[in-house]
Amino acid sequence: MERARLESARPLARRPLVTLLTAAALAASGLTALTSAARAADADLARNGGFESALDGWTCTAGTTVTSPVHSGATALKATPAGADNARCAQTVSVKPDSQYTLSGYVQGTYVYLGASGTGTTDVSTWAQSAPDWQQLTTTFRTGPSTTKVTIYTHGWYGTGAYHADDISLTGPGGETGQPPAAPGGLKTGSVTSSAVALSWSPVPGATGYAVYRDGTRVSTVTGTSITVSGLTPSTAYSFQVTAVNDAGESARSATVTATTAQRPDDGGGSSGLPAHALVGYLHASFANGSGYTRMADVPDSWDVIDLAFGEPTSVTSGDIRFERCPVAECPNVESDAEFKAAIKAKQAAGKKVLISIGGQNGQVQLTGTAARDKFVSSVSAIIDEYGLDGLDIDFEGHSLSLNADDTDFKNPKTPVIVNLISAVKTLKAKYGDDFVLTMAPETFFVQLGYQYYGTGKWGGQDPRAGAYLPVIHALRDDLTLLHVQDYNSGSIMGLDNQYHSMGGADFHIAMTDMLLTGFPVAGDANNVFPPLRPDQVAIGMPASTQAGNGHVSSAEVNKALNCLTKKTDCGSYATHGTWPDLRGLMTWSINWDRYSNWEFQKNFDAYFG
């Protein structure tokens, strides 16, 4: 600390020497002209240092903008560190070699850092251990003889509370930034669905990226020349424009194109036949475990979607999925194949949907190549056809899905296991048509954790599985009947209130479901938002009993969660971003465990929804 104070004081110690020089000495040395020129050249080089344009210009791991507290203007940065993330926000600035710069900003919070890296000399940082009110941080540096770009940043400290930053400036001579690129041409629409519009345009020389505007508002940035803008309202007209960007700035906007989304299909993406509020459960069809075996014919009529657990691969990367009925040695009361198939038909005749669920805890599936993808399609089709099933549930867990280090955009995935899964499911959907029921049961680690982390992260080191379901959900959202995230066997997850939420009560289910119905910036990037799902596409996943999994809650807590999300009552401390009476319902692991517990979960569902 003392050394930092001395270093910051050194520039002040030099100033009296200059002021004591005589006018004659100044003239003789040529410093008169240099002083005026230097003053004219100095400028604030930080882009959007007041965060008035959201996070434009900044790359943040866990940041957003807020309207209070602010140091000046209308908004400021709020960033929340986590156990493995210091909530860094950074931008790269063009500078001149061998030049002096002053970095300054106002901060608030515990352990807030402001610094510069890549200076070509000595990288600098300054920090406040405790700033209960706005406090100015200032540091200086000199660029190296060949330095043309410097990264300025702010961050907090791991696992501490949120910090705020505002009015960040970098003053000194500007570097050679060139010219902004020309406006893109050739903007046109592609496929249009009830909730998405595909756009493409011609590449622009010198552009490093493109910004997409919907009805005049910037909604996304991409590095390529195409995007699918999703999360749109059915039967609605939209206008779109695109700009090109580089280090020098942003181009003028392109010509405008318009598109009207399609009417929402009556089946809601394959949900034809489901009641307004549905009960979904997994049936242990290939094993018994401690809950015992339940015959298909003995499943009560309350269950609207029955997921057969599980179809599993012959090997992790084969794509060859097999569904084996529970053997008599393990399940003495197991029915014959003929009885099982007849019971499925009887359920379907009563309006129920019966699906094959692929994966589970032990069924790791990695479609690493096209051969595995094609085998997945053919083998899953064979199971669906043999048992006359209504569709597919994707229950990939463990290490089935992860993201390659260069895969950073959930809207344009590159990782083979992700791309091939999306392709396989689309092929199955096309084969069986609009009545094909598609559901997914990811863990919170693969979905809501994406609010903080996505893949390995911009600086590497994160778990590559973080948020890895997001590109799958996003690509298939128009085909998706139900998403029922497993709100159990989960660690604490940060909600949209930037607070951590843990299992054990209604609060966890409220916060996790609110994220799906509101949408959220992925990895804290306000320019990269995962759009909300429709409420009729969402069910809440819960354990049926204490034996079924960690995170079981009482019927009273289940009802509190439903009340909050559908009626905005019993919400506790978490403030939801809406009210969704069309929330589809509940999913549970499992039908077998609920029978073991005297059907407590099912009875409560029936009583709640009447």
Side-chain angles (χ1 to χ4, degrees):
M1 289 291 288
E2 292 302 320
R3 181 178 178 183
R5 290 183 185 137
L6 288 172
E7 288 177 348
S8 64
R10 284 175 188 164
L12 296 175
R14 296 191 186 104
R15 289 172 188 159
L17 179 62
V18 176
T19 59
L20 291 174
L21 290 175
T22 65
L26 284 169
S29 64
L31 287 177
T32 302
L34 178 60
T35 301
S36 61
R39 288 173 179 165
D42 285 352
D44 183 1
L45 307 179
R47 177 179 172 183
N48 189 31
F51 301 96
E52 300 301 314
S53 300
L55 297 180
D56 182 40
W58 295 91
T59 300
C60 301
T61 61
T64 186
T65 52
V66 294
T67 57
S68 178
V70 299
H71 177 258
S72 70
T75 56
L77 169 70
K78 178 182 180 181
T80 306
D85 177 35
N86 61 10
R88 171 181 164 122
C89 284
Q91 69 170 267
T92 300
V93 181
S94 295
V95 294
K96 281 189 175 182
D98 197 24
S99 300
Q100 190 74 15
Y101 292 88
T102 299
L103 175 63
S104 179
Y106 288 85
V107 300
Q108 187 178 128
T110 302
Y111 295 109
V112 194
Y113 293 74
L114 178 69
S117 61
T119 62
T121 54
T122 300
D123 292 350
V124 296
S125 70
T126 182
W127 64 297
Q129 181 175 355
S130 178
D133 202 353
W134 289 108
Q135 176 177 325
Q136 187 177 27
L137 297 178
T138 302
T139 185
T140 62
F141 62 89
R142 192 169 190 86
T143 53
S146 59
T147 302
T148 59
K149 293 184 183 298
V150 168
T151 297
I152 60 174
Y153 62 85
T154 182
H155 67 74
W157 196 247
Y158 305 95
T160 60
Y163 72 88
H164 297 81
D166 202 359
D167 296 332
I168 295 175
S169 65
L170 179 67
T171 56
E176 298 295 331
T177 59
Q179 296 293 323
L187 178 62
K188 60 183 179 180
T189 61
S191 63
V192 178
T193 69
S194 60
S195 62
V197 173
L199 302 172
S200 63
W201 55 91
S202 302
V204 177
T208 57
Y210 301 90
V212 181
Y213 290 80
R214 183 189 69 214
D215 294 336
T217 300
R218 185 171 177 169
V219 293
S220 186
T221 56
V222 295
T223 56
T225 57
S226 64
I227 187 176
T228 297
V229 181
S230 57
L232 306 180
T233 302
S235 304
T236 303
Y238 292 94
S239 65
F240 301 94
Q241 294 170 295
V242 179
T243 63
V245 297
N246 62 16
D247 288 344
E250 185 173 0
S251 74
R253 297 185 187 183
S254 69
T256 301
V257 298
T258 60
T260 299
T261 50
Q263 182 178 356
R264 175 176 160 182
D266 292 337
D267 64 1
S271 61
S272 176
L274 288 183
H277 301 292
L279 181 61
V280 182
Y282 287 80
L283 184 68
H284 306 183
S286 56
F287 58 94
N289 73 20
S291 64
Y293 183 81
T294 300
R295 295 163 64 100
M296 174 65 74
D298 294 334
V299 176
D301 288 341
S302 296
W303 300 90
D304 301 295
V305 180
I306 302 168
D307 293 321
L308 304 180
F310 287 106
E312 299 181 357
T314 56
S315 68
V316 173
T317 59
S318 69
D320 188 5
I321 307 300
R322 304 294 176 89
F323 173 59
E324 304 292 341
R325 301 282 318 290
C326 189
V328 175
E330 184 179 349
C331 304
N333 60 324
V334 65
E335 67 268 62
S336 67
D337 278 356
E339 292 171 327
F340 185 68
K341 292 175 182 178
I344 291 174
K345 288 184 178 179
K347 292 295 180 188
Q348 292 167 330
K352 314 305 177 183
K353 304 297 180 183
V354 184
L355 317 180
I356 179 64
S357 180
I358 306 298
Q361 180 179 344
N362 299 324
Q364 305 291 297
V365 182
Q366 296 175 1
L367 304 183
T368 55
T370 55
R373 176 200 65 191
D374 295 344
K375 189 63 178 178
F376 182 89
V377 172
S378 62
S379 59
V380 171
S381 295
I383 296 169
I384 291 173
D385 293 344
E386 179 179 356
Y387 292 94
L389 304 179
D390 296 289
L392 168 67
D393 173 68
I394 302 173
D395 187 11
F396 285 15
E397 300 180 17
H399 291 271
S400 292
L401 296 181
S402 62
L403 295 157
N404 290 350
D406 64 343
D407 199 342
T408 59
D409 181 5
F410 76 90
K411 297 175 183 176
N412 298 283
K414 303 177 182 178
T415 307
V417 295
I418 304 289
V419 174
N420 289 330
L421 175 60
I422 293 168
S423 174
V425 175
K426 283 187 174 292
T427 301
L428 288 166
K429 173 73 174 182
K431 176 178 180 179
Y432 291 103
D434 289 340
D435 290 336
F436 184 76
V437 178
L438 173 64
T439 65
M440 300 183 195
E443 297 161 291
T444 56
F445 190 94
F446 295 91
V447 185
Q448 287 95 337
L449 186 70
Y451 177 51
Q452 284 186 280
Y453 309 106
Y454 189 70
T456 58
K458 296 183 183 299
W459 293 279
Q462 296 176 187
D463 191 320
R465 299 173 297 166
Y469 246 96
L470 294 179
V472 179
I473 298 168
H474 185 68
L476 296 170
R477 63 173 57 235
D478 289 335
D479 302 311
L480 182 63
T481 309
L482 281 177
L483 176 72
H484 31 66
V485 176
Q486 300 177 35
D487 287 359
Y488 47 90
N489 298 335
S490 170
S492 296
I493 303 291
M494 181 180 285
L496 295 181
D497 57 353
N498 290 326
Q499 302 298 314
Y500 285 96
H501 299 266
S502 301
M503 299 183 301
D507 173 81
F508 188 69
H509 299 294
I510 293 167
M512 295 302 99
T513 307
D514 180 63
M515 295 178 76
L516 301 177
L517 298 173
T518 303
F520 54 87
V522 176
D525 185 351
N527 294 316
N528 193 31
V529 175
F530 178 80
L533 292 167
R534 301 191 315 268
D536 66 278
Q537 289 180 298
V538 176
I540 310 173
M542 303 177 172
S545 66
T546 54
Q547 300 94 332
N550 294 323
H552 173 260
V553 296
S554 67
S555 294
E557 293 298 303
V558 173
N559 294 346
K560 285 181 183 179
L562 292 171
N563 286 340
C564 178
L565 292 163
T566 64
K567 304 173 185 177
K568 218 173 182 65
T569 61
D570 288 336
C571 289
S573 61
Y574 184 90
T576 63
H577 294 75
T579 307
W580 301 279
D582 292 334
L583 179 74
R584 181 62 76 175
L586 301 178
M587 173 275 279
T588 192
W589 177 264
S590 61
I591 294 173
N592 302 60
W593 280 116
D594 197 35
R595 181 183 185 184
Y596 185 88
S597 300
N598 195 31
W599 302 112
E600 177 185 354
F601 194 88
Q602 171 209 302
K603 289 176 181 177
N604 184 66
F605 179 90
D606 290 344
Y608 187 90
F609 288 110

